[in-house]
Amino acid sequence: MNEAQIREIVPGAAGFIEWFGCWPQFHDSEVVRCDLQRAGESAIHVHTFNMTSEVDDRGRYVLDKHALVRFFLTDIESLELYDFNAQNALFGLRVEHSGTHFKMSFDPSYGLSGTITAKQLRLEWARSKPHEEIGRAHV
C-alpha cells in the first residue's frame, strides 16, 4: 500500500504520517513487543525513528522523531513469525490490504521475521525512545 492508501484505510495512521512527515519504511526499526491474543485484538509494538543526514561528533547519523508505533490487529487469520529474540531489527515492514484483510510483513535485519494476516488493522503511536527494559518506552 502506498502512503495515501495507508492514511485513508488504517485508523490512526493519518496523525502519525502528519507528525512523522511520511509513512516510514521502518528500516532499522525494532519490534520491541508482541502481544498475541487468540481472539480479539493483538498488538505489535515497533520503535521507529527518522535518520537525518546530520552526523554527530562520534560519526553516527543523528536520529530524530523517535516513536513507539503500536499496530493493533483484530481477528488474526494467519500468523507465521520466526526468531523473536532480544533484538528484532527490521530491514523493513510492509502493510498490504486486499479488501477483506490486512497483511503485515516483517523483513528482518536481525531477529523477528514473518507475516500476520488479520481482518482489521489500526495504529496508535507516541513520541518515545526505547527504555533500557525491553518492551518499555518513555517520552
Side-chain angles (χ1 to χ4, degrees):
M1 286 176 25
N2 66 36
E3 182 175 307
Q5 292 168 317
I6 290 171
R7 178 187 295 265
E8 183 177 318
I9 296 172
V10 178
F16 175 67
I17 291 169
E18 287 172 22
W19 174 76
F20 199 75
C22 66
W23 180 255
Q25 297 297 312
F26 292 93
H27 181 72
D28 287 339
S29 297
E30 184 176 2
V31 177
V32 295
R33 183 173 171 172
C34 296
D35 296 320
L36 302 174
Q37 306 297 323
R38 293 187 303 172
E41 193 171 67
S42 296
I44 306 295
H45 303 242
V46 179
H47 167 243
T48 195
F49 50 83
N50 177 51
M51 185 183 307
T52 70
S53 58
E54 297 176 46
V55 178
D56 67 15
D57 58 353
R58 296 178 293 170
R60 297 180 181 169
Y61 285 106
V62 174
L63 308 176
D64 69 2
K65 296 212 173 186
H66 290 267
L68 182 65
V69 181
R70 293 175 301 274
F71 294 92
F72 293 95
L73 300 116
T74 303
D75 298 327
I76 291 176
E77 296 175 343
S78 68
L79 180 136
E80 293 183 35
L81 296 177
Y82 306 94
D83 300 327
F84 185 82
N85 63 50
Q87 184 180 23
N88 300 285
L90 297 173
F91 186 77
L93 183 153
R94 289 186 320 277
V95 175
E96 301 170 59
H97 184 250
S98 72
T100 59
H101 64 270
F102 289 89
K103 180 178 180 182
M104 290 184 66
S105 300
F106 304 92
D107 299 323
S109 288
Y110 181 82
L112 182 74
S113 67
T115 61
I116 302 175
T117 303
K119 289 185 180 177
Q120 296 177 358
L121 175 69
R122 70 179 179 85
L123 70 82
E124 293 179 358
W125 64 280
R127 298 175 191 183
S128 182
K129 288 185 179 181
H131 189 272
E132 293 295 322
E133 294 180 53
I134 300 297
R136 303 255 182 197
H138 70 282
V139 175

